[in-house]
Amino acid sequence: MSIFEYNGSALVAMVGKNCFAIASDRRLGVQLQTIATDFQRIFKIHDKLFLGLSGLGSDAQTLHQRLVFRHKLYQLREERDMKPETFASLVSAMLYEKRFGPYFCQPVIAGLGEDDKPFICTMDSIGAKELAKDFVVAGTASESLYGACESMFKPDMDHEELFETISQALISSVDRDCLSGWGGHVYIVTPTEVTERILKGRMD
Amino acid sequence: MSRRYDSRTTIFSPEGRLYQVEYAMEAIGNAGSAIGILSKDGVVLVGEKKVTSKLLQTSTSTEKMYKIDDHIACAVAGIMSDANILINTARVQAQRYTFSYQEPMPVEQLVQSLCDTKQGYTQFGGLRPFGVSFLFAGWDKNYGFQLYMSDPSGNYGGWKAAAIGANNQAAQSMLKQDYKDDITREEAVQLALKVLSKTMDSTSLTSDKLELAEVFLSSSGKVKYQVCTPDALSKMLVKYGVTQPPAEA
């Protein structure tokens, strides 16, 4: 069994009209056993930048802590928040530093950049960036998520429709994956507010 | 005669003094002053800006006040380039602590850690000490609001009110007279502005010669570090009778 499938995870981020959504499942397991049903995989870096980390839970937490360290120092020195594109480059560089002993994580980065333009990207565990204009997925349920997003996604959805779409895509995909599930955690981010919602799906 | 013992930081003079450290403190005595006052609901830091020229490009960043972490700020007096190095060191130390322990670094521990760095430059390496004094203001859950003063020797102390930089002794004695233990943050601002206006060399006090910052708890209970805007500062200077209001055209 692969180390990436040890804890189980599902992450998806989608772009809407002047907004974005990022969602994850809530299960933390140790192979077949479920040990937590409220595991946090999406972290806020600042009001307009969110980071989701799929893969090994321990590496996800450590990587997040290291990124908070770097971002806090950046904020103090530059006296402003990091742009999402810059943050993505930082994450990519940090992952490649460990090229021959990597973090077993696949990050999903979503934020509002210059002029509040939505930005999403994902990368593999050694930092190969993949920018997308519509949606990005990660985790054990990624194959189902690709299928669900491809069929449900439409460009320029407003935040209400985006919420419905991303929730449906997430729930239907994790239901087909035994290692992820136990509900969902969705963040909808517009230039003016951040809405956080918990989804109830099949609790298994 | 004791000039033989000046040139190296790492030796004592026959009288038991470290001349380089004392000379560093002299350098600070010529720099712009800063005052810190601890109140029940916050810490107030006020600094005198020495460099005021019309040609200076004003930006939002401050000359005397710096944020170290979300819950700690400092005011500096002395050689600015030395201060920048130490502030960067303090910021990294605070983040390293948070990374290891997943909680904000207690204020005294940060001050101690930075002072340990400063002390190293008075004992080994053959490098000169940093020519900076700091006033640290912060809040932590163990001891609430705190104010610390540190100097080039690496000594530090916790204070209720302290002054560094030019005329600091005059400012300190004025603070000793007027400080009371249950002072509020507003009264502390007033006291700080009053003391600074009396000890500053310049004839008139305007908001472009000063910087004011406060560390307090916001209504949601989080620690906030706020630098006063020049407009608000001008209004306060007039309100407390420290400056003349601008002449009506």
PDB file of all heavy atoms in Angstrom, chain A residues 37-61:
ATOM      1  N   THR A  37     -12.976  12.146  12.564  1.00  0.00           N
ATOM      2  CA  THR A  37     -13.967  12.519  11.552  1.00  0.00           C
ATOM      3  C   THR A  37     -14.088  14.032  11.453  1.00  0.00           C
ATOM      4  O   THR A  37     -15.068  14.553  10.942  1.00  0.00           O
ATOM      5  CB  THR A  37     -15.343  11.928  11.929  1.00  0.00           C
ATOM      6  OG1 THR A  37     -15.672  12.388  13.239  1.00  0.00           O
ATOM      7  CG2 THR A  37     -15.307  10.425  11.905  1.00  0.00           C
ATOM      8  N   ASP A  38     -13.058  14.738  11.986  1.00  0.00           N
ATOM      9  CA  ASP A  38     -13.095  16.205  11.924  1.00  0.00           C
ATOM     10  C   ASP A  38     -11.707  16.732  11.587  1.00  0.00           C
ATOM     11  O   ASP A  38     -11.300  17.784  12.064  1.00  0.00           O
ATOM     12  CB  ASP A  38     -13.578  16.766  13.268  1.00  0.00           C
ATOM     13  CG  ASP A  38     -12.688  16.329  14.426  1.00  0.00           C
ATOM     14  OD1 ASP A  38     -11.752  15.532  14.205  1.00  0.00           O
ATOM     15  OD2 ASP A  38     -12.930  16.791  15.549  1.00  0.00           O
ATOM     16  N   PHE A  39     -10.959  15.981  10.787  1.00  0.00           N
ATOM     17  CA  PHE A  39      -9.572  16.352  10.511  1.00  0.00           C
ATOM     18  C   PHE A  39      -9.523  17.535   9.566  1.00  0.00           C
ATOM     19  O   PHE A  39     -10.196  17.566   8.546  1.00  0.00           O
ATOM     20  CB  PHE A  39      -8.839  15.152   9.900  1.00  0.00           C
ATOM     21  CG  PHE A  39      -7.357  15.342   9.822  1.00  0.00           C
ATOM     22  CD1 PHE A  39      -6.600  15.453  10.979  1.00  0.00           C
ATOM     23  CD2 PHE A  39      -6.711  15.408   8.595  1.00  0.00           C
ATOM     24  CE1 PHE A  39      -5.230  15.621  10.913  1.00  0.00           C
ATOM     25  CE2 PHE A  39      -5.338  15.570   8.519  1.00  0.00           C
ATOM     26  CZ  PHE A  39      -4.594  15.678   9.667  1.00  0.00           C
ATOM     27  N   GLN A  40      -8.709  18.515   9.942  1.00  0.00           N
ATOM     28  CA  GLN A  40      -8.595  19.743   9.161  1.00  0.00           C
ATOM     29  C   GLN A  40      -7.516  19.577   8.102  1.00  0.00           C
ATOM     30  O   GLN A  40      -6.342  19.353   8.428  1.00  0.00           O
ATOM     31  CB  GLN A  40      -8.191  20.863  10.129  1.00  0.00           C
ATOM     32  CG  GLN A  40      -7.974  22.171   9.507  1.00  0.00           C
ATOM     33  CD  GLN A  40      -9.093  23.130   9.807  1.00  0.00           C
ATOM     34  OE1 GLN A  40     -10.089  22.762  10.413  1.00  0.00           O
ATOM     35  NE2 GLN A  40      -8.951  24.365   9.406  1.00  0.00           N
ATOM     36  N   ARG A  41      -7.939  19.728   6.814  1.00  0.00           N
ATOM     37  CA  ARG A  41      -6.954  19.618   5.737  1.00  0.00           C
ATOM     38  C   ARG A  41      -6.744  20.929   5.013  1.00  0.00           C
ATOM     39  O   ARG A  41      -5.791  21.055   4.238  1.00  0.00           O
ATOM     40  CB  ARG A  41      -7.421  18.594   4.690  1.00  0.00           C
ATOM     41  CG  ARG A  41      -6.920  17.277   4.982  1.00  0.00           C
ATOM     42  CD  ARG A  41      -6.915  16.291   3.878  1.00  0.00           C
ATOM     43  NE  ARG A  41      -6.608  15.045   4.561  1.00  0.00           N
ATOM     44  CZ  ARG A  41      -7.498  14.260   5.128  1.00  0.00           C
ATOM     45  NH1 ARG A  41      -8.768  14.557   5.029  1.00  0.00           N
ATOM     46  NH2 ARG A  41      -7.126  13.187   5.776  1.00  0.00           N
ATOM     47  N   ILE A  42      -7.682  21.867   5.245  1.00  0.00           N
ATOM     48  CA  ILE A  42      -7.578  23.162   4.565  1.00  0.00           C
ATOM     49  C   ILE A  42      -7.178  24.200   5.606  1.00  0.00           C
ATOM     50  O   ILE A  42      -7.758  24.273   6.681  1.00  0.00           O
ATOM     51  CB  ILE A  42      -8.915  23.541   3.917  1.00  0.00           C
ATOM     52  CG1 ILE A  42      -9.258  22.502   2.854  1.00  0.00           C
ATOM     53  CG2 ILE A  42      -8.834  24.924   3.297  1.00  0.00           C
ATOM     54  CD1 ILE A  42     -10.593  22.721   2.226  1.00  0.00           C
ATOM     55  N   PHE A  43      -6.158  24.987   5.279  1.00  0.00           N
ATOM     56  CA  PHE A  43      -5.644  25.972   6.224  1.00  0.00           C
ATOM     57  C   PHE A  43      -5.701  27.351   5.608  1.00  0.00           C
ATOM     58  O   PHE A  43      -5.411  27.526   4.428  1.00  0.00           O
ATOM     59  CB  PHE A  43      -4.190  25.639   6.592  1.00  0.00           C
ATOM     60  CG  PHE A  43      -4.008  24.246   7.122  1.00  0.00           C
ATOM     61  CD1 PHE A  43      -3.544  23.245   6.288  1.00  0.00           C
ATOM     62  CD2 PHE A  43      -4.307  23.939   8.438  1.00  0.00           C
ATOM     63  CE1 PHE A  43      -3.373  21.957   6.760  1.00  0.00           C
ATOM     64  CE2 PHE A  43      -4.147  22.655   8.918  1.00  0.00           C
ATOM     65  CZ  PHE A  43      -3.685  21.648   8.075  1.00  0.00           C
ATOM     66  N   LYS A  44      -6.035  28.342   6.449  1.00  0.00           N
ATOM     67  CA  LYS A  44      -6.050  29.716   5.946  1.00  0.00           C
ATOM     68  C   LYS A  44      -4.658  30.302   6.154  1.00  0.00           C
ATOM     69  O   LYS A  44      -4.123  30.252   7.251  1.00  0.00           O
ATOM     70  CB  LYS A  44      -7.077  30.542   6.736  1.00  0.00           C
ATOM     71  CG  LYS A  44      -7.204  31.970   6.220  1.00  0.00           C
ATOM     72  CD  LYS A  44      -8.335  32.692   6.901  1.00  0.00           C
ATOM     73  CE  LYS A  44      -7.799  33.650   7.941  1.00  0.00           C
ATOM     74  NZ  LYS A  44      -8.748  34.728   8.232  1.00  0.00           N
ATOM     75  N   ILE A  45      -4.103  30.837   5.075  1.00  0.00           N
ATOM     76  CA  ILE A  45      -2.798  31.499   5.202  1.00  0.00           C
ATOM     77  C   ILE A  45      -3.029  32.984   5.468  1.00  0.00           C
ATOM     78  O   ILE A  45      -2.428  33.570   6.350  1.00  0.00           O
ATOM     79  CB  ILE A  45      -1.941  31.278   3.938  1.00  0.00           C
ATOM     80  CG1 ILE A  45      -1.778  29.786   3.652  1.00  0.00           C
ATOM     81  CG2 ILE A  45      -0.604  31.981   4.045  1.00  0.00           C
ATOM     82  CD1 ILE A  45      -0.987  29.029   4.680  1.00  0.00           C
ATOM     83  N   HIS A  46      -3.905  33.596   4.665  1.00  0.00           N
ATOM     84  CA  HIS A  46      -4.423  34.923   5.006  1.00  0.00           C
ATOM     85  C   HIS A  46      -5.807  35.021   4.387  1.00  0.00           C
ATOM     86  O   HIS A  46      -6.259  34.082   3.724  1.00  0.00           O
ATOM     87  CB  HIS A  46      -3.475  36.051   4.577  1.00  0.00           C
ATOM     88  CG  HIS A  46      -3.207  36.172   3.106  1.00  0.00           C
ATOM     89  ND1 HIS A  46      -4.117  36.679   2.207  1.00  0.00           N
ATOM     90  CD2 HIS A  46      -2.133  35.858   2.377  1.00  0.00           C
ATOM     91  CE1 HIS A  46      -3.596  36.683   1.002  1.00  0.00           C
ATOM     92  NE2 HIS A  46      -2.393  36.179   1.069  1.00  0.00           N
ATOM     93  N   ASP A  47      -6.486  36.145   4.612  1.00  0.00           N
ATOM     94  CA  ASP A  47      -7.898  36.253   4.209  1.00  0.00           C
ATOM     95  C   ASP A  47      -8.200  35.865   2.776  1.00  0.00           C
ATOM     96  O   ASP A  47      -9.315  35.496   2.454  1.00  0.00           O
ATOM     97  CB  ASP A  47      -8.393  37.695   4.425  1.00  0.00           C
ATOM     98  CG  ASP A  47      -8.640  37.970   5.883  1.00  0.00           C
ATOM     99  OD1 ASP A  47      -8.890  37.000   6.623  1.00  0.00           O
ATOM    100  OD2 ASP A  47      -8.584  39.143   6.282  1.00  0.00           O
ATOM    101  N   LYS A  48      -7.209  35.988   1.879  1.00  0.00           N
ATOM    102  CA  LYS A  48      -7.489  35.679   0.475  1.00  0.00           C
ATOM    103  C   LYS A  48      -6.593  34.560  -0.030  1.00  0.00           C
ATOM    104  O   LYS A  48      -6.312  34.475  -1.225  1.00  0.00           O
ATOM    105  CB  LYS A  48      -7.295  36.939  -0.376  1.00  0.00           C
ATOM    106  CG  LYS A  48      -8.330  37.995  -0.084  1.00  0.00           C
ATOM    107  CD  LYS A  48      -8.203  39.177  -0.998  1.00  0.00           C
ATOM    108  CE  LYS A  48      -9.241  40.227  -0.654  1.00  0.00           C
ATOM    109  NZ  LYS A  48      -9.035  41.471  -1.399  1.00  0.00           N
ATOM    110  N   LEU A  49      -6.144  33.696   0.856  1.00  0.00           N
ATOM    111  CA  LEU A  49      -5.276  32.598   0.412  1.00  0.00           C
ATOM    112  C   LEU A  49      -5.504  31.390   1.291  1.00  0.00           C
ATOM    113  O   LEU A  49      -5.357  31.458   2.515  1.00  0.00           O
ATOM    114  CB  LEU A  49      -3.807  33.030   0.489  1.00  0.00           C
ATOM    115  CG  LEU A  49      -2.761  31.992   0.084  1.00  0.00           C
ATOM    116  CD1 LEU A  49      -2.975  31.520  -1.335  1.00  0.00           C
ATOM    117  CD2 LEU A  49      -1.367  32.600   0.204  1.00  0.00           C
ATOM    118  N   PHE A  50      -5.868  30.270   0.655  1.00  0.00           N
ATOM    119  CA  PHE A  50      -6.099  29.035   1.388  1.00  0.00           C
ATOM    120  C   PHE A  50      -5.223  27.935   0.818  1.00  0.00           C
ATOM    121  O   PHE A  50      -4.951  27.888  -0.379  1.00  0.00           O
ATOM    122  CB  PHE A  50      -7.581  28.623   1.296  1.00  0.00           C
ATOM    123  CG  PHE A  50      -8.451  29.410   2.220  1.00  0.00           C
ATOM    124  CD1 PHE A  50      -8.787  30.722   1.921  1.00  0.00           C
ATOM    125  CD2 PHE A  50      -8.920  28.851   3.397  1.00  0.00           C
ATOM    126  CE1 PHE A  50      -9.585  31.463   2.779  1.00  0.00           C
ATOM    127  CE2 PHE A  50      -9.725  29.585   4.261  1.00  0.00           C
ATOM    128  CZ  PHE A  50     -10.053  30.891   3.950  1.00  0.00           C
ATOM    129  N   LEU A  51      -4.804  27.041   1.702  1.00  0.00           N
ATOM    130  CA  LEU A  51      -3.946  25.932   1.305  1.00  0.00           C
ATOM    131  C   LEU A  51      -4.579  24.640   1.774  1.00  0.00           C
ATOM    132  O   LEU A  51      -4.958  24.513   2.934  1.00  0.00           O
ATOM    133  CB  LEU A  51      -2.582  26.096   1.993  1.00  0.00           C
ATOM    134  CG  LEU A  51      -1.645  24.901   1.952  1.00  0.00           C
ATOM    135  CD1 LEU A  51      -1.027  24.772   0.582  1.00  0.00           C
ATOM    136  CD2 LEU A  51      -0.557  25.072   2.996  1.00  0.00           C
ATOM    137  N   GLY A  52      -4.727  23.672   0.858  1.00  0.00           N
ATOM    138  CA  GLY A  52      -5.212  22.355   1.234  1.00  0.00           C
ATOM    139  C   GLY A  52      -4.070  21.375   1.054  1.00  0.00           C
ATOM    140  O   GLY A  52      -3.300  21.470   0.095  1.00  0.00           O
ATOM    141  N   LEU A  53      -3.920  20.443   1.985  1.00  0.00           N
ATOM    142  CA  LEU A  53      -2.828  19.470   1.889  1.00  0.00           C
ATOM    143  C   LEU A  53      -3.373  18.064   2.004  1.00  0.00           C
ATOM    144  O   LEU A  53      -3.919  17.673   3.046  1.00  0.00           O
ATOM    145  CB  LEU A  53      -1.802  19.718   3.012  1.00  0.00           C
ATOM    146  CG  LEU A  53      -0.951  20.970   2.840  1.00  0.00           C
ATOM    147  CD1 LEU A  53      -0.297  21.354   4.145  1.00  0.00           C
ATOM    148  CD2 LEU A  53       0.114  20.762   1.785  1.00  0.00           C
ATOM    149  N   SER A  54      -3.231  17.290   0.921  1.00  0.00           N
ATOM    150  CA  SER A  54      -3.705  15.902   0.945  1.00  0.00           C
ATOM    151  C   SER A  54      -2.501  14.994   1.145  1.00  0.00           C
ATOM    152  O   SER A  54      -1.359  15.421   1.025  1.00  0.00           O
ATOM    153  CB  SER A  54      -4.392  15.568  -0.374  1.00  0.00           C
ATOM    154  OG  SER A  54      -3.430  15.545  -1.407  1.00  0.00           O
ATOM    155  N   GLY A  55      -2.777  13.732   1.429  1.00  0.00           N
ATOM    156  CA  GLY A  55      -1.676  12.782   1.603  1.00  0.00           C
ATOM    157  C   GLY A  55      -1.478  12.459   3.065  1.00  0.00           C
ATOM    158  O   GLY A  55      -2.416  12.420   3.861  1.00  0.00           O
ATOM    159  N   LEU A  56      -0.232  12.230   3.450  1.00  0.00           N
ATOM    160  CA  LEU A  56       0.074  11.839   4.822  1.00  0.00           C
ATOM    161  C   LEU A  56      -0.264  12.981   5.775  1.00  0.00           C
ATOM    162  O   LEU A  56       0.219  14.098   5.630  1.00  0.00           O
ATOM    163  CB  LEU A  56       1.553  11.469   4.923  1.00  0.00           C
ATOM    164  CG  LEU A  56       1.969  10.713   6.177  1.00  0.00           C
ATOM    165  CD1 LEU A  56       1.308   9.365   6.244  1.00  0.00           C
ATOM    166  CD2 LEU A  56       3.483  10.562   6.207  1.00  0.00           C
ATOM    167  N   GLY A  57      -1.096  12.676   6.801  1.00  0.00           N
ATOM    168  CA  GLY A  57      -1.574  13.713   7.725  1.00  0.00           C
ATOM    169  C   GLY A  57      -0.454  14.415   8.458  1.00  0.00           C
ATOM    170  O   GLY A  57      -0.457  15.640   8.612  1.00  0.00           O
ATOM    171  N   SER A  58       0.514  13.639   8.914  1.00  0.00           N
ATOM    172  CA  SER A  58       1.620  14.212   9.689  1.00  0.00           C
ATOM    173  C   SER A  58       2.422  15.189   8.835  1.00  0.00           C
ATOM    174  O   SER A  58       2.768  16.283   9.282  1.00  0.00           O
ATOM    175  CB  SER A  58       2.489  13.060  10.173  1.00  0.00           C
ATOM    176  OG  SER A  58       3.743  13.536  10.545  1.00  0.00           O
ATOM    177  N   ASP A  59       2.732  14.809   7.611  1.00  0.00           N
ATOM    178  CA  ASP A  59       3.471  15.706   6.709  1.00  0.00           C
ATOM    179  C   ASP A  59       2.646  16.939   6.379  1.00  0.00           C
ATOM    180  O   ASP A  59       3.188  18.047   6.252  1.00  0.00           O
ATOM    181  CB  ASP A  59       3.844  14.976   5.418  1.00  0.00           C
ATOM    182  CG  ASP A  59       5.055  14.067   5.591  1.00  0.00           C
ATOM    183  OD1 ASP A  59       5.599  14.031   6.712  1.00  0.00           O
ATOM    184  OD2 ASP A  59       5.446  13.402   4.624  1.00  0.00           O
ATOM    185  N   ALA A  60       1.322  16.763   6.245  1.00  0.00           N
ATOM    186  CA  ALA A  60       0.446  17.910   5.950  1.00  0.00           C
ATOM    187  C   ALA A  60       0.537  18.930   7.075  1.00  0.00           C
ATOM    188  O   ALA A  60       0.691  20.127   6.845  1.00  0.00           O
ATOM    189  CB  ALA A  60      -0.997  17.443   5.766  1.00  0.00           C
ATOM    190  N   GLN A  61       0.483  18.453   8.323  1.00  0.00           N
ATOM    191  CA  GLN A  61       0.537  19.378   9.458  1.00  0.00           C
ATOM    192  C   GLN A  61       1.898  20.055   9.558  1.00  0.00           C
ATOM    193  O   GLN A  61       1.987  21.265   9.775  1.00  0.00           O
ATOM    194  CB  GLN A  61       0.236  18.626  10.759  1.00  0.00           C
ATOM    195  CG  GLN A  61      -1.226  18.304  10.913  1.00  0.00           C
ATOM    196  CD  GLN A  61      -1.533  17.564  12.180  1.00  0.00           C
ATOM    197  OE1 GLN A  61      -0.670  16.915  12.767  1.00  0.00           O
ATOM    198  NE2 GLN A  61      -2.772  17.652  12.616  1.00  0.00           N
TER     199      GLN A  61
END
